[in-house]
Amino acid sequence: AIINPHTTLVCTVPPGTGVNKTVSLYIGGQQYLLSPSSTFDVSSFFISYNPPRVTSVSNTTTAGGFVTIYGQNFGEDDTMIQSISIGSLSCQAPQQAHHTSVICTLPPALPPPDGASMHVTITVDNQSNNATEDAVEFIYVEIVLVAATFGDLRLDELHTNQLGLPANCSIVLLR
């Protein structure tokens, strides 16, 4: 949209990532090239996207597995995701489902002491989220499996802190 003829042009840009991306301007099919002697503010022909922001994260067990990270400004190109870390662990093989979510694989690990949560950090196209500001924390799903056999009867008991069960509740599977 032209706001003021010959002076102001407002455009909608596609989703993207990074800072100081060059904007090409075409007028009447001709590309406008900037030069040092240009009377235009050269900085106005660059665009910087907002850094990624994490809004939530799925959980997994200490055995490792897939983790989905939700947020904004992840871009639409997997190759632009430079790193994802959860606490001190690197989440590998990022795959984007959309520019607002990414799936990665967390390796097996011991949970932090006292079940402490871990910050999630993602770096996309040389920009990282502010993990402290986002205040999204990953917590391992705690699973304890206890099995006992009494003759032909086997009792399996599963405890988890992420199924919404009260702390004193458990699931017992009879086989």
Side-chain angles (χ1 to χ4, degrees):
I2 297 176
I3 304 300
N4 293 323
H6 305 288
T7 61
T8 307
L9 177 66
V10 177
C11 302
T12 302
V13 296
T17 60
V19 295
N20 296 327
K21 300 294 182 172
T22 303
V23 175
S24 297
L25 177 63
Y26 289 85
I27 299 173
Q30 298 290 319
Q31 182 177 13
Y32 178 78
L33 301 174
L34 297 175
S35 67
S37 63
S38 173
T39 58
F40 291 98
D41 177 8
V42 175
S43 66
S44 66
F45 285 85
F46 293 92
I47 185 170
S48 292
Y49 290 93
N50 290 328
R53 181 168 178 256
V54 175
T55 56
S56 65
V57 62
S58 67
N59 296 326
T60 190
T61 69
T62 56
F66 293 110
V67 174
T68 304
I69 299 167
Y70 300 95
Q72 300 167 349
N73 306 320
F74 298 156
E76 296 182 339
D77 181 356
D78 295 353
T79 63
M80 299 309 266
I81 299 173
Q82 294 161 299
S83 67
I84 300 174
S85 62
I86 297 179
S88 63
L89 299 173
S90 178
C91 205
Q92 299 296 312
Q95 299 173 357
Q96 286 175 283
H98 193 263
H99 66 92
T100 59
S101 65
V102 62
I103 299 168
C104 59
T105 305
L106 195 63
L110 293 174
D114 301 325
S117 57
M118 299 179 288
H119 287 293
V120 178
T121 303
I122 182 169
T123 302
V124 179
D125 200 4
N126 297 315
Q127 290 184 296
S128 297
N129 68 307
N130 182 330
T132 305
E133 185 178 295
D134 286 350
V136 173
E137 298 178 335
F138 173 86
I139 300 173
Y140 275 110
V141 175
E142 177 189 338
I143 294 182
V144 177
L145 181 61
V146 178
T149 304
F150 300 101
D152 291 333
L153 179 63
R154 178 183 167 125
L155 293 174
D156 292 329
E157 192 172 2
L158 176 70
H159 298 272
T160 177
N161 67 350
Q162 295 295 313
L163 291 179
L165 298 174
N168 62 349
C169 219
S170 62
I171 300 170
V172 177
L173 307 169
L174 298 176
R175 291 187 198 164

